Amino acid sequence: DTAVSQTPKYLVTQMGNDKSIKCEQNLGHDTMYWYKQDSKKFLKIMFSYNNKELIINETVPNRFSPKSPDKAHLNLHINSLELGDSAVYFCASSQEIGSGRAVNEQFFGPGTRLTVL
Amino acid sequence: EDKVVQSPLSLVVHEGDTVTLNCSYEVTNFRSLLWYKQEKKAPTFLFMLTSSGIEKKSGRLSSILDKKELSSILNITATQTGDSAIYLCAGSLFGGAGNMLTFGGGTRLMVKP
């Protein structure tokens, strides 16, 4: 029944490693997002993606790359992890095109807590 | 740069009190303002406000948008301990793939019994 799911829930890794976080939504939404929430609980958009367009927040390092194998998945791949990448990463989804309902409402996944040692 | 600012940063009240949380925004191509509640995990949606002056209500929670003042308030009446959470507001804008939300820093509300 989970609408937006993420795996893993927790990820502990060493600096310099490459890791991926997976996200799946079963809501039939056409747009997915990745957010980063830092230790001060500040939530910041990283990417917005639908099947037509990827929008990247310009502050996101190019070590971060979203990969979407299909409409229901948007995975986050991170190269050469750094200490400052430690945070909680949230995936979200929304229906943006012609839904007739609250098109701005985004549904969030449970988050992945990434710790870089 | 788009910016959303919330106040107060944190608030401690007792059960039964009424609280008002504030959110101001500077978002280009503004479309709507959203409120979320975040407890231990994912933010959960509360309200979306698009039109100025129209109050949205859900139980003890209500919210209103003032486009002239570029602000919104979230009211919680007769607070309960279960209302303890971080309340986030976010501005959304037209254009681009989907809807990029710019979040404020949140207001941490603690309701004591």
Side-chain angles (χ1 to χ4, degrees), chain A residues 33 37 48 53 55 104 106 109, chain B residues 32 36 38 42 92 97 99-100:
Chain A
Y33 312 84
Q37 189 170 43
S48 167
E53 195 174 0
I55 291 191
N104 292 54
Q106 292 183 15
Chain B
S32 58
Y36 284 83
Q38 185 175 23
S92 79
N99 163 38
M100 304 272 277

Side-chain angles (χ1 to χ4, degrees), chain B:
Chain B
E1 188 185 334
D2 295 336
K3 193 167 65 173
V4 176
V5 177
Q6 291 184 244
S7 64
L9 286 178
S10 64
L11 196 51
V12 181
V13 300
H14 286 94
E15 273 194 315
D17 288 349
T18 293
V19 297
T20 298
L21 310 182
N22 301 290
C23 176
S24 64
Y25 62 91
E26 292 174 26
V27 175
T28 52
N29 299 318
F30 175 83
R31 177 157 67 169
S32 58
L33 189 129
L34 292 84
W35 284 96
Y36 284 83
K37 177 182 181 182
Q38 185 175 23
E39 295 174 87
K40 289 183 181 172
K41 290 191 175 177
T44 53
F45 175 78
L46 294 175
F47 298 109
M48 182 187 74
L49 305 158
T50 307
S51 301
S52 205
I54 298 175
E55 186 184 53
K56 291 222 172 171
K57 211 167 161 59
S58 174
R60 296 175 295 101
L61 276 66
S62 63
S63 185
I64 196 161
L65 177 67
D66 185 338
K67 282 187 173 179
K68 208 171 173 183
E69 297 295 325
L70 304 183
S71 66
S72 173
I73 59 170
L74 174 69
N75 281 319
I76 310 175
T77 58
T79 51
Q80 302 171 357
T81 54
D83 295 327
S84 296
I86 297 173
Y87 290 83
L88 299 165
C89 80
S92 79
L93 48 91
F94 284 104
N99 163 38
M100 304 272 277
L101 294 181
T102 300
F103 278 88
T107 293
R108 186 181 292 271
L109 173 67
M110 181 182 292
V111 181
K112 291 188 170 180

